[in-house]
């Protein structure tokens, strides 16, 4: 490749690249469930921009290109809700998703006081489940998304960082 991927806080100027990357990355999830109305595919650019401004958002960059992203925010119960983790399909399997998760977790705990982390993934999303388990998340329940997809709820305590990614 010639360049290394860097992880940094997203800026409002990254919103459009995040929006396009999210749309690309979540196509495989939509296909897995036969549902192209999942939230990451129907979210508006303005909504992405609002999240970048208000929430804890990190991006992975390869040069000037945003090739990965993750978002998080602390909820009323002190847990950090982490979502919409995505890595460009051509770069998946190289640890970028785990690096993005670690960056978001560290910021959500250190800067926003999160006591635990919570995320959701579809029940058929084996590669996502493998990643989340590898970095210390455990399934704690199930829920049905607004789009009808059955989701597995995963959590881990703040400070519980897996040593391998």
């Amino acid at each position: 490749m010639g360049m290394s991927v860097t992880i940094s806080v997203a800026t409002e100027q990254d919103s459009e690249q995040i929006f396009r990357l999210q749309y690309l990355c979540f196509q495989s999830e939509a296909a897995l469930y036969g549902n192209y109305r999942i939230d990451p595919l129907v979210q508006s650019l303005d909504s992405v921009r609002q999240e970048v401004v208000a929430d804890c958002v990190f991006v992975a960059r390869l040069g000037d290109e945003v090739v990965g992203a993750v978002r998080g925010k602390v909820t009323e119960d002190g847990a950090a809700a982490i979502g919409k983790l995505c890595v460009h399909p051509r770069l998946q399997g190289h640890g970028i998703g785990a690096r993005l998760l670690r960056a978001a977790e560290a910021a959500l705990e250190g800067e926003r006081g999160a006591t635990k982390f919570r995320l959701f993934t579809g029940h058929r999303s084996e590669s996502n489940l493998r990643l989340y388990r590898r970095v210390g998340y455990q399934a704690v329940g199930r829920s049905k998304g607004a789009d009808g997809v059955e989701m597995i709820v995963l959590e881990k305590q703040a400070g519980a960082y897996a040593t391998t990614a």
Side-chain angles (χ1 to χ4, degrees):
M1 253 180 246
M3 284 187 224
S4 61
V5 172
T6 59
I7 308 295
S8 60
V9 173
T11 67
E12 190 172 354
Q13 289 73 29
D14 296 321
S15 298
E16 192 169 330
Q17 284 194 68
I18 294 168
F19 175 74
R20 281 194 246 127
L21 177 69
Q22 172 179 305
Y23 191 82
L24 170 70
C25 292
F26 280 90
Q27 293 294 318
S28 59
E29 285 293 297
L32 187 60
Y33 296 97
N35 182 345
Y36 288 84
R37 301 293 301 159
I38 61 174
D39 183 60
L41 297 185
V42 298
Q43 185 178 20
S44 70
L45 174 57
D46 283 341
S47 175
V48 170
R49 189 173 283 116
Q50 289 170 2
E51 288 178 357
V52 169
V53 169
D55 297 342
C56 181
V57 181
F58 282 85
V59 292
R61 297 180 201 280
L62 183 60
D64 293 333
E65 181 186 6
V66 172
V67 296
V70 67
R71 286 168 245 185
K73 64 182 175 184
V74 177
T75 60
E76 310 78 47
D77 66 354
I82 296 177
K84 296 185 182 127
L85 173 66
C86 60
V87 175
H88 194 289
R90 77 175 189 269
L91 296 172
Q92 291 176 2
H94 296 282
I96 297 168
R99 289 174 59 201
L100 282 163
L101 273 174
R102 274 196 299 272
E105 290 168 356
L108 288 161
E109 180 181 6
E111 299 165 19
R112 302 193 183 195
T115 57
K116 67 180 168 182
F117 308 111
R118 180 179 302 126
L119 50 79
F120 300 78
T121 194
H123 70 288
R124 295 182 194 147
S125 303
E126 286 302 321
S127 61
N128 296 353
L129 288 165
R130 272 194 305 278
L131 167 64
Y132 299 142
R133 287 183 188 119
R134 194 166 56 240
V135 297
Y137 285 83
Q138 295 181 330
V140 296
R142 289 181 178 249
S143 70
K144 192 163 289 250
D147 51 23
V149 173
E150 186 177 339
M151 307 293 282
I152 296 178
V153 182
L154 298 108
E155 291 183 353
K156 77 174 181 179
Q157 292 301 309
Y161 299 103
T163 54
T164 59

